Amino acid sequence: MTPNAERYNPSTDYADKLISRIGQTPSWIAKRIGVTDKRIRYILDGSRTVKGETTEIQMTYPEQFALECLAAEASAKKKA
């Protein structure tokens, strides 16, 4: 796969779709792409609340690309 930031899609629906295609736990995925379990939860929720203040959260393009790579690998393993 070749990175192409023009295909950046930070939506929570797309993140959920990628994570579903990977077929592993959010914790497993977080370890593979170098983020925390909380970060994956925030990406899937689309926000986080700290001390009563809610902040919108979107995955970054590097996170998206890492998820796309894991999803592609999972698809390739299913076909093999």
Side-chain angles (χ1 to χ4, degrees):
M1 291 183 66
T2 303
N4 182 352
E6 291 177 359
R7 290 184 270 195
Y8 178 44
N9 180 354
S11 76
T12 56
D13 289 339
Y14 187 53
D16 185 50
K17 184 175 161 182
L18 289 171
I19 288 170
S20 293
R21 284 178 42 204
I22 294 166
Q24 296 288 341
T25 65
S27 178
W28 184 94
I29 293 166
K31 287 177 186 171
R32 295 315 177 283
I33 68 170
V35 298
T36 64
D37 294 0
K38 281 186 180 182
R39 176 70 183 161
I40 295 293
R41 283 197 309 269
Y42 295 154
I43 289 169
L44 291 172
D45 291 342
S47 65
R48 72 180 187 142
T49 303
V50 177
K51 296 181 182 178
E53 188 174 324
T54 301
T55 304
E56 185 179 326
I57 301 292
Q58 293 182 331
M59 73 177 149
T60 64
Y61 179 71
E63 290 166 335
Q64 175 186 320
F65 183 71
L67 291 175
E68 289 170 340
C69 289
L70 288 176
E73 181 181 341
S75 294
K77 284 183 178 179
K78 286 180 185 177
K79 290 180 182 177

